[in-house]
Amino acid sequence: MLNFTFHNPTKVLFGKCTICQLAGEIPPGARVMVAFGAESARKYGVLDEVLRALAGFDVTEFGGIEANPEYDTLCSGIALAREKKIDFLLAVGGGSVIDGTKFMAAAIPFAGEPYQLMENKGAAIRQALPLGAVLTLPASGSEMNNRAIISRRAVNWKRAAMNDWFFPRFAVLDPTKTCTLPPMQTANGVVDTFVHVLEQYLTYPVQGKVQDRLAEGLLLLLIEEGPKALVEPENYDVRANLMWASTLGLNGLIGAGVPQDWAAHRAGYELTVLYGLDHARTLAVLVPAMLQVRAGGKKEKLLQYGERVWGISSGAEDVRITAAIEKTKAFFGSMGLPTSLSGCGIEKVDADRFIELLEEHGLTAMGERGEVTPAMMREILALCA
Ligand code: NZQ
Ligand code: ZN
């Protein structure tokens, strides 16, 4: 096992009716900005419930944060928060709202241009307003981690920043709030979580047995419960298990002390920039192709994954590896996600532009060993067609 430091300061309030505990988590007298998305929080009553729980606080609403939160939108929120002298931020939504709120929290007290905070993966962030999260879409893990992924369409970037100032003070996880998710978003959440686990598990062995068993447990849970959420969207136990799995999938626990990959995620951001694809859809397309091309470097873990997660224990090694990749692809498909670019409606891919974007963004040596070069990405992209 590799050396690691693990510190996660986010307090989790999990279960039914936990929104009513909000007030106790926010400093008395705080001026709170409640940030949310386009319409779901208002439409399904979560926003009202949050506002009722915050009775007595000075509250400013900031709605309209879109999927793949956009820099220009967030700049309006930053201006509003400064004008209202906000000193606490509360995100109500999925990964996009929470990530956008993290970025605003760091930008509000920052004297420079906000986009500078996203340079060098957020290394320059020195302070941020405190924030909390009420999660409505289990997927990103943002509610309990230190990452924010922001898009700036005008200059063709979607970037990740990681900084401990981004940890929410608390996360309210009420599974009943996820019953209104359309099947497509439920599926996106299951596949995104599955891939978060793969990015931290499917690399090379370092005797991180605790991490491996935790990861395999989460993968098995997603395979078991994910499809159930599509047929029984109101099943509380299914929603609760998926919600907790997605939080644990990317809160630092399973990735501590093991190598990590993240090439599919990074390349996926460029597919979102180019074609506007949902984050999880980029992963459902890229991951099977990437595993196929990179099978040699991931051989031991692919065999372990095949055996422990998919029960593939006999046959020649290459046959077992191919079967494990096929099972993964079929699982994404069974959740309703296309696993090819043509399935996403993209008939002709601009491979040159894709590679150019990767190079512009310095993504020329991705993966756990830095082995994913632009040439290899071209090969992977060809398999995604
Ligand atoms: O905007 P509204 O109307 O609220 O609708 C949203 C949005 O359209 C809807 N939604 C959310 N909760 C709902 C609901 N609809 C009905 N009922 C509910 N309870 O779902 C749509 C998608 O929401 P979004 O927040 O974009 O989804 P997700 O949570 O998948 O977040 C995706 C973003 O997170 C980033 C992605 O790159 C992408 O920008 N990620 C963040 C990570 C992190 N911070 O650690 C890691 C991830 O790998 C990921 O990259
Ligand atoms: Zn993801």
Side-chain angles (χ1 to χ4, degrees):
M1 196 185 297
L2 310 177
N3 287 7
F4 64 87
T5 301
F6 177 67
H7 176 80
N8 191 313
T10 303
K11 178 174 176 178
V12 174
L13 300 132
F14 190 98
K16 292 175 187 167
C17 305
T18 36
I19 289 178
C20 59
Q21 297 172 31
L22 264 179
E25 302 302 323
I26 300 176
R31 286 181 296 277
V32 184
M33 185 160 91
V34 177
F36 48 96
E39 62 163 5
S40 72
R42 202 182 285 285
K43 182 171 166 188
Y44 298 116
V46 185
L47 184 63
D48 275 351
E49 206 175 322
V50 165
L51 295 176
R52 277 198 304 277
L54 294 180
F57 283 94
D58 180 349
V59 172
T60 297
E61 294 177 30
F62 178 66
I65 299 177
E66 56 282 90
N68 302 306
E70 170 58 36
Y71 179 77
D72 291 344
T73 306
L74 301 173
C75 285
S76 321
I78 294 163
L80 178 66
R82 286 176 180 161
E83 182 200 322
K84 300 282 184 181
K85 301 196 174 356
I86 295 298
D87 50 23
F88 197 97
L89 297 180
L90 181 65
V92 180
S96 296
V97 172
I98 303 174
D99 285 3
T101 303
K102 289 174 173 180
F103 177 69
M104 293 192 291
I108 292 161
F110 181 62
E113 287 297 325
Y115 67 80
Q116 292 169 339
L117 294 171
M118 294 303 288
E119 285 166 6
N120 297 320
K121 297 182 186 162
I125 296 168
R126 295 282 174 274
Q127 57 177 329
L129 295 186
L131 71 132
V134 175
L135 183 67
T136 64
L137 195 174
S140 64
S142 184
E143 66 280 4
M144 200 183 179
N145 74 28
N146 65 352
R147 298 169 184 228
I149 290 98
I150 305 299
S151 293
R152 200 176 176 202
R153 288 166 182 84
V155 289
N156 284 325
W157 61 243
K158 174 171 177 175
R159 280 187 184 168
M162 274 185 266
N163 193 292
D164 285 356
W165 285 101
F166 282 159
F167 276 113
R169 298 288 166 103
F170 62 84
V172 173
L173 271 54
D174 178 343
T176 65
K177 304 302 164 217
T178 68
C179 294
T180 56
L181 283 168
M184 192 182 93
Q185 293 300 345
T186 297
N188 279 353
V190 169
V191 170
D192 191 20
T193 304
F194 197 91
V195 179
H196 293 158
V197 179
L198 291 187
E199 300 269 28
Q200 301 164 87
Y201 164 75
L202 213 45
T203 57
Y204 53 86
V206 292
Q207 294 301 311
K209 296 187 179 188
V210 175
Q211 295 88 334
D212 280 4
R213 290 294 187 185
L214 288 170
E216 288 153 3
L218 291 173
L219 295 172
L220 287 166
L221 178 283
L222 293 164
I223 293 164
E224 243 169 61
E225 304 295 305
K228 285 189 204 161
L230 296 179
V231 285
E232 298 173 57
E234 308 264 329
N235 184 324
Y236 179 81
D237 293 323
V238 170
R239 293 295 192 180
N241 280 291
L242 289 177
M243 198 170 212
W244 191 217
S246 73
T247 301
L248 291 177
L250 195 48
N251 74 344
L253 179 67
I254 65 167
V258 291
Q260 301 191 18
D261 182 338
W262 299 108
H265 266 72
R266 298 230 168 98
Y269 295 164
E270 307 306 351
L271 284 182
T272 297
V273 166
L274 280 177
Y275 301 110
L277 286 184
D278 285 357
H279 170 60
R281 284 169 187 249
T282 68
L283 303 173
V285 169
L286 282 167
V287 166
M290 215 173 235
L291 291 179
Q292 200 175 323
V293 173
R294 299 170 64 197
K298 291 177 179 290
K299 183 176 145 192
E300 289 97 331
K301 290 306 277 289
L302 270 169
L303 288 168
Q304 179 178 324
Y305 165 67
E307 180 166 355
R308 295 187 185 174
V309 176
W310 295 111
I312 303 164
S313 53
S314 61
E317 285 184 344
D318 56 338
V319 175
R320 279 153 58 194
I321 286 174
T322 304
I325 298 170
E326 281 308 314
K327 288 272 190 194
T328 309
K329 193 171 176 172
F331 174 62
F332 297 163
S334 76
M335 290 301 299
L337 264 65
T339 51
S340 65
L341 287 169
S342 55
C344 297
I346 301 161
E347 291 307 336
K348 188 156 169 26
V349 185
D350 190 345
D352 292 336
R353 182 71 189 121
F354 175 74
I355 299 294
E356 213 172 83
L357 281 176
L358 284 175
E359 287 174 343
E360 268 172 30
H361 299 152
L363 302 172
T364 51
M366 300 184 287
E368 60 269 20
R369 296 191 186 88
E371 73 281 22
V372 185
T373 58
M376 189 186 273
M377 265 321 305
R378 204 178 273 277
E379 194 185 340
I380 291 165
L381 197 64
L383 287 179
C384 293

